[in-house]
Amino acid sequence: MERIPILRMGRLLLVTIQVDMHDRLAMALQDDLTSRIVSDGAKGVLIDISALDVVDSFIGRMISNTASMARVLDAQTVVVGMQPAVAITLVELGLTLQGVKTALNVERGIKLLETEPK
């Protein structure tokens, strides 16, 4: 089964989703990411979705749930690179992505995480 790479950048983890997400891949990413938060002692997670043109309700919930799990594990989550069509779809689906901060790009996402109270 394919996996989405998780890169370590100091105390942050960077996930760049560059493939169409299907349910099994999303669940594997959630498991891999939570494991890496613990093993690396990460304090922040950046999820780059700039390559995603479409999201469905499952993927939206997966992002929200992953952010909630990260919070329980003492890490903040920032989603970066959201396309306008993705934002529109999430709003139309009624998904607020509670607890998930957003930024236009990775650079802004890193700054956002660096200014978060520890």
Side-chain angles (χ1 to χ4, degrees):
M1 181 176 153
E2 64 184 319
R3 291 286 219 244
I4 294 175
I6 300 170
L7 305 174
R8 183 176 179 176
M9 298 172 41
R11 297 191 69 168
L12 305 178
L13 297 176
L14 172 63
V15 178
T16 302
I17 301 172
Q18 298 181 346
V19 297
D20 288 331
M21 294 287 285
H22 52 79
D23 295 0
R24 283 186 27 201
L25 183 58
M27 295 305 295
L29 173 61
Q30 195 171 54
D31 291 342
D32 293 346
L33 189 54
T34 53
S35 293
R36 287 288 302 272
I37 289 169
V38 172
S39 67
D40 293 358
K43 292 297 178 185
V45 176
L46 287 164
I47 302 176
D48 181 359
I49 62 169
S50 57
L52 291 182
D53 295 325
V54 177
V55 295
D56 61 15
S57 60
F58 178 81
I59 300 304
R61 282 193 316 275
M62 185 276 309
I63 292 170
S64 183
N65 290 343
T66 300
S68 294
M69 290 174 194
R71 250 190 334 278
V72 170
L73 297 172
D74 196 28
Q76 297 299 313
T77 302
V78 176
V79 174
V80 301
M82 188 177 301
Q83 300 294 327
V86 171
I88 291 166
T89 301
L90 290 175
V91 169
E92 288 176 347
L93 290 172
L95 298 173
T96 60
L97 300 183
Q98 188 172 2
V100 179
K101 295 185 185 295
T102 59
L104 291 177
N105 56 42
V106 171
E107 182 180 2
R108 288 185 179 186
I110 290 171
K111 286 181 183 176
L112 187 60
L113 286 170
E114 288 174 344
T115 60
E116 281 291 311
K118 305 298 186 246

